Amino acid sequence: MAGRYEGVTIHESAYVDEPVRIGRGTRIWHFVHILKDCDIGEGCSIGQNVMIGPAVRVGNRCKIQNNVSLYNGVELEDDVFCGPSAVFTNVLNPRAAVERKSEFRRTVVRRGATIGANATIVCGHELGPYCFIGAGAVVTGDVPAHALMLGVPARPAGWMSRHGERLGADLVCPASGERYRLRSSGSGLELIEKA
């Protein structure tokens, strides 16, 4: 199967339906199922027992850890990290006896976001660039850029740099020296000075 996708590593236990696009350098591990019409970028790592699709877009250099399902309506931009067993819902009020496939809501995870292990992302929301969702948190609304979200339901608990470092009151990254400021729109932080 990997021969159909130049420069892609696909474990023999994985299933890849057709048609899909998989970028060079992507690695697909044990027991993965990628459904039709997915678009997966370059340099991704897709861990054991992951299900993607149908019609899901995954950007470049994303890391999707074990036991994550990305349903129709989920979109990951570049450099997104999904921790083990992170959960994405696709409808707000599921019932086994009620068909709700026409009610799937779009969930967009912006560039550089991190979603911790066992976190739940309720559908229909946007996770801002470089936000950081703590392990076990339950996201029930939009998340601002660079926000650190913790708890059930998830609440703002501070700010994170592009490098994944918690920012102090000065909004300077301790690892890189990059400086940030609050956006006037109230939609999170923006980078104002690179190191």
Side-chain angles (χ1 to χ4, degrees), residues 21-26 39-44 57-61:
R21 188 194 76 77
I22 304 171
R24 292 182 66 83
T26 289
D39 185 347
I40 298 172
E42 297 181 356
C44 294
R57 183 189 176 282
V58 175
N60 297 319
R61 298 171 306 279

Side-chain angles (χ1 to χ4, degrees), residues 82-100:
C82 294
S85 301
V87 174
F88 290 85
T89 70
N90 54 11
V91 296
L92 290 180
N93 53 345
R95 293 285 197 202
V98 179
E99 183 73 35
R100 291 211 158 101

Side-chain angles (χ1 to χ4, degrees), residues 68-71 74 76 82 86-90 107 109 115 119-121:
V68 174
S69 293
L70 302 177
Y71 302 110
V74 174
L76 307 183
C82 294
V87 174
F88 290 85
T89 70
N90 54 11
T107 301
V109 182
I115 300 169
T120 298
I121 311 302

Side-chain angles (χ1 to χ4, degrees), residues 13 28 56 62 77 113 131 145 150 153 157 169 184:
S13 66
I28 298 171
V56 168
C62 290
E77 291 188 345
C131 70
L150 303 175
S184 58

